[in-house]
Amino acid sequence: MTEREWSITTSQEAIEMHERYIVQTYKPHKFVYARGRGVWVWNPEGERKMEMLSCYSALGGGHCHRNILQAFVRQARRYWPGSNAFYNDVAPLFAKELVEFCEMAKVLPINTGAEAVERAIKIARKWGYTCKENAGDSLGFERVVDAVETAKTWGKKTKGIPLDTAQIILCDNNFHGRTITVISASSHDKYKRYFGPLTPGFTLIPYGDLAALEKAITPYTVAFLAEPIQGEGGVVVPPEGYLKGAKRICEKRNVLLVWDEIQTGLGRCGKRFAYQYEDAKPDILILGKFLGGGPGQVSAAVCNEKVASVLEYPEDGSTFQCHPIDCAAALAALRLIQDEGLTERAFELGNYFRAELEKMKSPRIKEIRGRGLLIGVELKHELGGAKPFVTKLIEAGILCNQTREHTIRFAPPLVITRREIDWALKRLKKVLAGP
Ligand SMILES: Cc1ncc(COP(=O)(O)O)c(C=O)c1O
């Protein structure tokens, strides 16, 4: 097959075919990807734009990074996914390096972010039903024979919740994905209105509110699951002390702490993980997006010792769980983060980017939020929403998007240079700093 036979040659054709054949669950801006290198992308007509969204954070290394591409292609030439009924010689190396990178015990790999969130929910629920964990004890698990009896031991640091009654606490304005179970835990009606019956077992509390967390915990609570910065929710950074406070409460009440770092992790926010700003290490760390390097689809529920052995055969699995090509890309991404200092780079350049945005003193900007290279610029609400500004930015050469109504999100590849940021700032100034 030649390239011409399988690629579309004009933007118009791509847009028309997309709208004709793909179920329209997104409303894309009218830019068509035809080529990408680093932070730059081109449409079929050869028009160049800067990548400032990075597949919602998934392209930490930019487009077609040589190391990731080489790993991906090398493995694609060796063999393709075999059955999980056998072992392969790539996934274990990826898992080892990920576990070391996260300083955790074991990883449950899967493919999409929402699936990893589902796995964290499964682990937390089963832990609640089956784990008997005494304060300060080693981490043995015991089957609970009489679950109702053991539930009465609440307060003695013992779980053993009656089957099918576990509760997980999440936050308003969260975004954890689109499966039925995950949308059941959303506070956004538009994500779940027509998809009931929904999955029970979730309690929502305001984000950033430790008193609400303390109050919401009951003998049936198995976990608190939240984003350390709400990405899709408008790049909302919680008040200082929140992450640490949540950890303290979870430990005190014998509830698992689960951070969804699918968007914020792997260097994006200027630390390996955003929870590290407050040293609030979770029991389960959920990763995705850049974990697959860009070309791979790898997500993970990374577990500490306490929960590492909760799921057993045959309680979970998926055809592409240890996909060797995806795992090869993931391994290359993990090494890239470390070898090229992407975390430190995100920290420094993120500070620079935010400081320069502040210096603009734009009359249109209400607030600039974020950490590292995850940046939200909330516009004044009287402007009527961020969308027209996003359109202007795209026309000016910057691919970004709007999260919630009034906020523009910038999440460039972590390999971006200061010069490239300056290129973007010049255009941003024109669009945002006007009268
Ligand atoms: C924090 C967070 N969790 C989960 C997801 C869902 O990931 P996926 O789209 O890969 O299912 C996203 C996606 O944007 C996310 O930002």
Side-chain angles (χ1 to χ4, degrees), residues 104-394:
M104 296 286 260
K106 263 191 183 167
V107 52
L108 178 63
I110 200 81
N111 304 106
T112 66
E115 288 173 303
V117 174
E118 292 251 1
R119 271 38 184 207
I121 292 170
K122 282 175 86 169
I123 293 168
R125 284 181 170 182
K126 189 180 171 198
W127 175 80
Y129 298 135
T130 62
C131 166
K132 190 169 174 222
E133 183 199 32
N134 294 311
D137 240 356
S138 65
L139 303 164
F141 285 88
E142 269 181 28
R143 300 283 145 201
V144 173
V145 181
D146 183 348
V148 180
E149 251 333 285
T150 51
K152 289 186 197 150
T153 60
W154 166 255
K156 290 186 199 158
K157 279 234 166 208
T158 306
K159 285 289 173 191
I161 295 170
L163 279 182
D164 300 337
T165 63
Q167 286 287 322
I168 295 178
I169 299 170
L170 299 99
C171 293
D172 289 337
N173 194 39
N174 71 60
F175 186 83
H176 299 290
R178 304 289 198 151
T179 60
I180 294 284
T181 288
V182 175
I183 59 169
S184 302
S186 172
S187 58
H188 291 288
D189 190 48
K190 65 183 175 189
Y191 294 155
K192 61 185 186 184
R193 191 182 319 147
Y194 299 116
F195 307 115
L198 300 173
T199 306
F202 302 114
T203 307
L204 289 172
I205 58 169
Y207 188 59
D209 185 340
L210 289 174
L213 174 59
E214 183 94 60
K215 204 165 146 218
I217 294 175
T218 74
Y220 300 92
T221 307
V222 289
F224 172 57
L225 192 172
E227 300 148 89
I229 294 174
Q230 290 188 326
E232 296 305 304
V235 191
V236 181
V237 182
E240 213 182 308
Y242 181 63
L243 308 180
K244 217 183 176 100
K247 182 172 169 74
R248 182 177 34 78
I249 292 169
C250 288
E251 273 177 2
K252 189 173 80 179
R253 306 289 296 271
N254 195 24
V255 161
L256 296 178
L257 177 62
V258 184
W259 292 130
D260 177 347
E261 293 243 23
I262 287 171
Q263 185 156 165
T264 52
L266 301 170
R268 167 63 51 194
C269 292
K271 300 263 181 198
R272 278 190 182 186
F273 305 107
Y275 79 74
Q276 290 173 324
Y277 278 98
E278 295 191 10
D279 200 14
K281 195 170 180 182
D283 298 294
I284 305 175
L285 178 63
I286 311 175
L287 301 175
K289 295 193 190 280
F290 185 34
L291 189 59
Q297 271 121 69
V298 185
S299 63
V302 192
C303 304
N304 69 8
E305 281 291 348
K306 196 160 63 170
V307 292
S309 309
V310 171
L311 291 191
E312 297 162 312
Y313 175 79
E315 291 169 340
D316 200 54
S318 181
T319 302
F320 291 130
Q321 186 170 45
C322 288
H323 194 300
I325 306 175
D326 287 355
C327 286
L331 186 56
L334 282 176
R335 290 177 178 178
L336 185 74
I337 293 167
Q338 296 165 91
D339 295 349
E340 296 202 2
L342 295 190
T343 305
E344 298 73 19
R345 205 185 168 83
F347 186 82
E348 270 167 42
L349 291 178
N351 283 346
Y352 173 70
F353 197 163
R354 281 197 312 282
E356 292 298 310
L357 283 167
E358 294 282 2
K359 271 195 220 157
M360 274 183 203
K361 298 208 179 310
S362 161
R364 289 178 167 149
I365 295 178
K366 178 169 179 258
E367 193 178 35
I368 296 161
R369 297 186 290 267
R371 287 196 193 275
L373 286 169
L374 179 61
I375 299 170
V377 176
E378 184 171 344
L379 302 183
K380 289 187 178 155
H381 293 202
E382 58 266 31
L383 292 168
K387 189 143 192 213
F389 294 91
V390 167
T391 305
K392 279 188 198 158
L393 285 169
I394 294 169

Side-chain angles (χ1 to χ4, degrees), residues 398-411:
I398 296 168
L399 298 187
C400 56
N401 83 335
Q402 167 200 351
T403 79
R404 299 289 173 248
E405 200 178 339
H406 301 285
T407 302
I408 306 173
R409 169 177 38 188
F410 300 105

Side-chain angles (χ1 to χ4, degrees), residues 68-85:
I68 295 173
L69 186 63
Q70 271 175 1
F72 191 76
V73 171
R74 176 176 173 267
Q75 180 53 34
R77 291 208 169 101
R78 292 180 72 222
Y79 61 89
W80 292 2
S83 316
N84 285 321

